[in-house]
């Protein structure tokens, strides 16, 4: 299936992808970054899959599907010659162990159904040992164990379990899949119908806090729900996406693991949540951040695990063929070792916004911020890998310098507005010096635009953020010139590229092309609105909204060459600027 053929369900600790045809092709348990027990997304059914749908020679796509109201409860319906059937998929709020529930309901007539389940632990590598106990199936492999409660008998064979059954109008049959550590006792069974009601109520109550009431409410609400689903509830960490190795270039090598907490992505997510009225999530994230980055400022990483682990070693899984033969399949991410100076500005900005939104002061947070500022003062003038985590040579990226300015600017604001103490005169002087240097070394006066890095001729979509972070006002001719240059030179087929991918441009050190990062096009829409071209901004924004799949989700990129989504899915880095742009245009 195409990437956009999937929908997301989750319990705010992990998540599953459910295809249009009723197949669950991706699920990592017990956490977002745990090994997958269903990994067909990156291989085929033999790497783990659970299909449930109308019986027949093929597996047809659902006639229609939707989330039930403003929730993460997915409903898929098939119209068949015998009648209509509905499958409801969800993961209830976790009690002790993670559960996945699939409820089959007869809507009209009588429908012949079938199911086929293949559990494979460790990303499809381990075929578990399966036994029957009290009418349940238990699969065990190493540290993992799952129990499957099925309302109909399942027949084993070919390392899978299958069944055919009928469902008549008014009937409801519930399957419950529960994971637990293999050394522990059998988990307590849940009531799936009771949990369905509670899950719906949970989302209804959460959405009741939403402060956004603009014209694009449906898109904003679905994006907020997605961001909440990508939050690891026990710690407050926010993952960039629930998947790994979905390609940025179909058949290529740009396949990365996004199941971690990027400080950049998480801080932008925090801003979106604060703007929508969700301060409790902001408090949880701040607590996660302070735990994760505790220690020496020079040891700050650009990303951490959902629980704050720092070692995210990148490995290749040779037994998985990859999504549409896009190899290698990777887990872990070596970008964790990169120097990306912009994250210091992102962190300082997020903590400033937290205070400005009314969150209580935290003396420990300010102590850590002062440590981070000391590092910025000593290293701001060094080259780095930048926002896009390039694997080519380090450069003096303009966005990185701008965000170092942001770090110092937000520190000064905390002194001025909240009475914090620190060497504010020194911070002001360095802030102004960085500003002057960027305006001198990163601005191409002949073309009237800022450039990607000092001395370069290339443009970069991150330059669109200059007015959004307050580095220059929107009406400044240098801002207007930059927006217009990006619109003129970086737009391809109506979408904004991150930067040129010409053969003679070795900025990222990787072969092949890529799709257009959706965040960049959302940034352009917001920037156009800021410089007074709102009609153009709305037109671009609504064209981007039309790219969402049938249940309102976006991946990292859209590739106009194929007319398809590419990259990890769903992607926080796409849904966050959607929310920002909707608020700006509203």
């Amino acid at each position: 299936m195409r990437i956009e053929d999937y929908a997301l369900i989750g319990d705010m600790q992990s998540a599953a992808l459910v295809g249009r045809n009723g197949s669950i092709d991706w699920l990592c348990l017990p956490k977002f970054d745990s090994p997958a027990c269903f990994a067909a997304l990156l291989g085929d059914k033999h790497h783990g899959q659970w299909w449930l749908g109308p019986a027949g020679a093929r597996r047809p796509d659902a006639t229609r599907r939707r989330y039930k109201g403003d929730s993460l409860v997915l409903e898929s319906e098939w119209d068949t010659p015998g009648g209509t059937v509905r499958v409801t998929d969800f993961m209830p709020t976790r009690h002790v162990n993670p559960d996945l529930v699939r409820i089959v309901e007869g809507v009209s007539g009588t429908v012949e159904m079938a199911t086929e389940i293949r559990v494979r632990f460790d990303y499809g590598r381990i075929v578990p040992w399966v036994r029957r106990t009290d009418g349940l199936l238990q699969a065990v492999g190493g540290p993992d164990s799952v129990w499957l409660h099925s309302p109909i008998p399942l027949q084993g064979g070919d390392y899978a379990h299958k069944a055919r059954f009928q469902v008549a109008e008014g009937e409801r049959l519930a399957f419950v899949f529960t994971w637990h550590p293999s050394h522990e006792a059998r988990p307590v069974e849940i009531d799936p119908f009771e949990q369905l009601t509670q899950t719906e109520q949970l989302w209804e109550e959460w959405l009741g806090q939403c402060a956004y009431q603009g014209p694009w409410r449906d898109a904003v609400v679905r994006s907020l729900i997605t961001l909440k689903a990508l939050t690891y509830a026990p710690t407050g960490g926010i993952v960039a996406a629930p998947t790994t190795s979905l390609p940025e270039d179909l058949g290529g090598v740009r396949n990365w693991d996004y199941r971690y907490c990027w400080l950049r992505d998480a801080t932008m997510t925090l801003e979106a949540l604060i703007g929508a009225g969700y301060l409790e999530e902001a408090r949880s994230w701040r607590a996660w951040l302070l735990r994760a980055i505790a220690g020496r400022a020079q040891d700050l990483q650009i990303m951490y695990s959902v629980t704050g682990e720092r070692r995210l070693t990148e490995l290749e899984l040779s037994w998985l063929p990859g999504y549409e033969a896009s190899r290698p399949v990777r887990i872990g991410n070596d970008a964790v070792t990169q120097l990306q100076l912009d994250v210091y500005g992102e962190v300082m900005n997020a903590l400033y916004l937290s205070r400005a939104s009314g969150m209580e002061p935290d003396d420990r947070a300010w102590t850590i911020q002062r440590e981070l500022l000391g590092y910025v003062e000593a290293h701001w003038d060094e080259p780095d890998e930048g926002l896009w985590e390039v694997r080519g040579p380090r450069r003096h990226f303009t966005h990185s310098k701008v965000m170092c300015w942001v770090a110092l600017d937000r520190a000064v604001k905390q002194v001025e507005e909240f009475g914090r103490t620190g060497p504010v005169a020194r911070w002001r002087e360095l802030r102004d010096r960085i500003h002057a240097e960027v305006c001198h070394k990163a601005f191409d006066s002949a073309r009237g635009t800022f450039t990607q890095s000092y001395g370069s001729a290339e443009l970069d979509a991150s330059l669109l953020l200059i007015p959004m972070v307050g580095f220059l006002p929107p009406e400044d001719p240098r801002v207007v010139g930059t927006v217009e240059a990006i619109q003129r030179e970086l737009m391809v087929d109506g979408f904004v590229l991150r930067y040129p991918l010409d053969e003679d441009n070795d900025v990222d050190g990787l072969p092949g092309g890529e799709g257009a990062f959706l965040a960049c096009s959302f940034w352009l829409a917001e920037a156009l609105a800021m410089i007074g071209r709102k009609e153009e901004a709305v037109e671009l924004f609504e064209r981007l909204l039309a790219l969402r799949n049938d249940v309102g989700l976006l991946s990292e990129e859209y590739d106009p060459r194929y007319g398809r989504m590419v990259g990890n899915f769903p992607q926080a880095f796409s849904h966050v600027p959607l929310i920002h742009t909707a608020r700006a245009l509203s």
Side-chain angles (χ1 to χ4, degrees):
M1 286 180 286
R2 299 172 304 171
I3 290 171
E4 53 263 47
D5 288 332
Y6 288 97
L8 177 78
I9 60 173
D11 64 358
M12 287 163 286
Q13 294 192 45
S14 185
L17 293 189
V18 186
R20 288 180 189 267
N21 67 355
S23 175
I24 296 179
D25 289 350
W26 184 253
L27 175 61
C28 300
L29 293 173
K31 306 195 310 296
F32 289 108
D33 57 354
S34 297
C37 57
F38 297 137
L41 181 68
L42 301 177
D44 58 35
K45 66 182 182 180
H46 298 288
H47 296 105
Q49 182 188 71
W50 184 2
W51 172 71
L52 176 61
R58 62 187 186 90
R59 297 179 175 181
D61 288 347
T63 309
R64 56 194 160 270
R65 63 176 181 170
R66 60 187 174 271
Y67 285 111
K68 191 170 183 181
D70 292 334
S71 78
L72 207 62
V73 176
L74 179 69
E75 295 183 331
S76 304
E77 292 182 352
W78 286 262
D79 295 334
T80 75
T84 298
V85 64
R86 177 184 303 132
V87 174
T88 300
D89 291 311
F90 70 100
M91 294 177 69
T93 302
R94 195 171 302 189
H95 304 285
V96 177
N97 302 294
D99 298 290
L100 188 157
V101 179
R102 314 195 75 178
I103 298 174
V104 183
E105 180 180 358
V107 178
S108 66
T110 299
V111 180
E112 184 84 10
M113 297 290 288
T115 189
E116 181 176 320
I117 183 168
R118 285 179 166 85
V119 179
R120 299 290 185 269
F121 296 125
D122 194 24
Y123 303 101
R125 191 173 65 90
I126 296 175
V127 179
W129 172 64
V130 180
R131 66 173 181 174
R132 297 180 190 273
T133 304
D134 299 331
L136 304 182
L137 287 182
Q138 182 192 20
V140 177
D144 300 293
S145 176
V146 296
W147 292 77
L148 178 63
H149 181 281
S150 171
I152 44 95
L154 297 170
Q155 302 299 318
D158 189 29
Y159 299 104
H161 285 79
K162 308 176 184 180
R164 291 173 72 104
F165 58 98
Q166 288 187 336
V167 59
E169 180 178 344
E171 275 191 282
R172 290 203 301 173
L173 304 174
F175 297 80
V176 180
F177 178 96
T178 305
W179 179 95
H180 75 118
S182 60
H183 65 276
E184 292 185 359
R186 173 175 161 178
V188 176
E189 293 181 30
I190 63 170
D191 181 327
F193 302 107
E194 179 182 292
Q195 290 300 313
L196 175 60
T197 299
Q198 291 184 9
T199 301
E200 292 173 3
Q201 290 174 347
L202 178 148
W203 286 107
E204 182 180 345
E205 291 171 4
W206 189 77
L207 262 299
Q209 306 171 50
C210 181
Y212 178 82
Q213 298 297 330
W216 297 285
R217 186 182 182 279
D218 288 348
V220 169
V221 163
R222 181 50 52 191
S223 293
L224 287 168
I225 291 172
T226 303
L227 297 181
K228 179 67 171 175
L230 298 180
T231 302
Y232 186 68
T235 65
I238 304 168
V239 298
T243 57
T244 179
S245 297
L246 288 180
E248 297 172 5
D249 183 24
L250 294 174
V253 301
R254 297 170 182 260
N255 317 316
W256 315 111
D257 192 346
Y258 276 15
R259 299 170 300 156
Y260 304 114
C261 303
W262 269 255
L263 296 187
R264 178 188 308 107
D265 296 34
T267 52
M268 291 180 176
T269 301
L270 179 71
E271 293 177 43
L273 291 170
I274 287 176
Y278 290 99
L279 290 186
E280 190 55 43
E281 282 72 17
R283 289 189 182 91
S284 296
W285 180 87
R286 185 174 72 173
W288 171 86
L289 172 71
L290 297 177
R291 292 191 303 269
I293 68 176
R296 300 184 304 170
Q298 61 264 40
D299 296 330
L300 180 76
Q301 297 184 175
I302 66 162
M303 73 179 90
Y304 300 84
S305 79
V306 290
T307 52
E309 286 102 349
R310 298 179 175 226
R311 189 173 294 113
L312 309 177
T313 307
E314 189 173 297
L315 303 172
E316 296 181 4
L317 305 185
S318 59
W319 61 88
L320 285 173
Y323 180 86
E324 294 198 13
S326 303
R327 302 182 72 178
V329 171
R330 296 181 174 96
I331 59 171
N333 199 310
D334 277 348
V336 71
T337 63
Q338 290 187 352
L339 174 64
Q340 297 179 23
L341 291 168
D342 65 294
V343 299
Y344 292 87
E346 299 287 0
V347 170
M348 291 296 297
N349 187 49
L351 292 173
Y352 167 74
L353 287 174
S354 298
R355 287 286 289 115
S357 66
M359 285 176 58
E360 60 282 350
D362 186 311
D363 292 339
R364 185 166 64 100
W366 180 243
T367 300
I368 292 176
Q369 288 176 80
R370 290 192 57 171
E371 286 289 318
L372 298 181
L373 287 167
Y375 186 84
V376 171
E377 289 182 274
H379 298 278
W380 71 271
D381 56 352
E382 297 177 5
D384 71 341
E385 278 90 0
L387 166 75
W388 302 121
E389 300 175 1
V390 300
R391 300 202 175 193
R394 286 184 176 181
R395 301 173 185 233
H396 290 283
F397 286 105
T398 302
H399 178 261
S400 295
K401 306 302 184 191
V402 168
M403 294 310 295
C404 287
W405 175 90
V406 167
L408 292 154
D409 180 72
R410 301 319 188 251
V412 171
K413 281 182 165 57
Q414 294 211 50
V415 172
E416 294 173 342
E417 297 176 18
F418 308 133
R420 288 298 186 180
T421 59
V424 67
R426 191 175 78 216
W427 291 340
R428 285 196 190 101
E429 187 278 329
L430 181 56
R431 177 189 64 178
D432 296 344
R433 182 148 57 95
I434 293 173
H435 195 281
E437 180 178 294
V438 169
C439 291
H440 174 64
K441 293 186 176 181
F443 187 73
D444 184 338
S445 56
R447 294 158 64 203
T449 180
F450 285 96
T451 58
Q452 182 181 57
S453 60
Y454 289 178
S456 72
E458 289 83 12
L459 297 178
D460 192 299
S462 64
L463 301 171
L464 294 167
L465 299 173
I466 285 175
M468 299 177 201
V469 299
F471 186 82
L472 286 172
E475 63 273 13
D476 190 292
R478 292 166 293 185
V479 170
V480 175
T482 300
V483 173
E484 292 177 343
I486 287 173
Q487 190 176 26
R488 183 174 60 248
E489 300 180 32
L490 276 189
M491 287 196 80
V492 175
D493 296 322
F495 300 95
V496 181
L497 301 180
R498 294 188 296 170
Y499 44 76
L501 281 175
D502 304 325
E503 290 184 5
D504 58 350
N505 183 16
D506 64 345
V507 65
D508 63 17
L510 293 167
E514 64 181 17
F517 274 63
L518 292 169
C520 301
S521 295
F522 281 116
W523 293 342
L524 177 60
E526 185 172 353
L528 286 170
M530 294 181 77
I531 66 172
R533 291 160 58 177
K534 187 172 180 180
E535 187 174 329
E536 279 182 75
V538 170
E539 181 184 355
L540 174 57
F541 181 61
E542 292 190 336
R543 183 157 53 81
L544 294 171
L545 291 184
L547 298 178
R548 295 173 302 147
N549 72 358
D550 58 317
V551 289
L553 302 180
L554 289 169
S555 68
E556 182 180 31
E557 304 177 26
Y558 181 80
D559 197 325
R561 296 174 297 177
Y562 311 115
R564 293 179 55 180
M565 290 187 190
V566 290
N568 284 300
F569 175 87
Q571 174 66 244
F573 204 50
S574 297
H575 285 279
V576 165
L578 183 159
I579 296 169
H580 283 301
T581 308
R583 291 180 60 217
L585 296 179
S586 299

